[in-house]
Amino acid sequence: DTAACVDTTFNLTVNDSDTGTNFVPSTLGQNPVTVAPAETVGVTLTVTGQAGAPNGATNDSSVATGADANHGAVTSNTVTTTINVGGQVDCSTFTTKQTCNAEPTCVWVNRNKVCVPN
């Protein structure tokens, strides 16, 4: 929000393209959100696939705010989630021993401080 505004509470709405068939309705980590003047607030969007959803199933998600007396309605960029069951895990994306070893197909190499395929 701009520095000229007072604290503003925004009610958020999640928009999903697929709820029920391959995905459950997406959830937000915080809703509503209150934004102080000149500040921003990050909110986590969680998208979850249904059990048995086929590989390649997609869900397009966005988050919107309603308009009020001082702010227009805004919709976020759309994010696409794709089901990839049994997909190849890229062990190099894990940067700590704890997160690396939590993935059964990866192992941490202390000497080089890297995560590699098991």
Side-chain angles (χ1 to χ4, degrees):
D1 218 349
T2 68
C5 290
V6 297
D7 285 6
T8 305
T9 299
F10 295 95
N11 292 304
L12 307 176
T13 304
V14 176
N15 302 299
D16 288 313
S17 64
D18 178 347
T19 54
T21 304
N22 296 305
F23 293 84
V24 298
S26 298
T27 59
L28 297 169
Q30 181 182 353
N31 190 23
V33 293
T34 299
V35 182
E39 297 293 325
T40 60
V41 173
V43 177
T44 301
L45 170 70
T46 301
V47 180
T48 305
Q50 295 273 20
N55 279 344
T58 61
N59 181 47
D60 295 327
S61 303
S62 63
V63 177
T65 64
D68 68 12
N70 299 310
H71 303 89
V74 175
T75 300
S76 71
N77 292 332
T78 298
V79 219
T80 301
T81 303
T82 304
I83 300 289
N84 185 16
V85 178
Q88 184 67 28
V89 174
D90 181 2
C91 297
S92 67
T93 62
F94 300 112
T95 57
T96 67
K97 183 177 182 178
Q98 180 181 4
T99 57
C100 175
N101 290 340
E103 170 54 50
T105 62
C106 300
V107 63
W108 184 257
V109 179
N110 279 323
R111 180 178 173 180
N112 299 338
K113 297 198 182 320
V114 294
C115 188
V116 297
N118 198 354

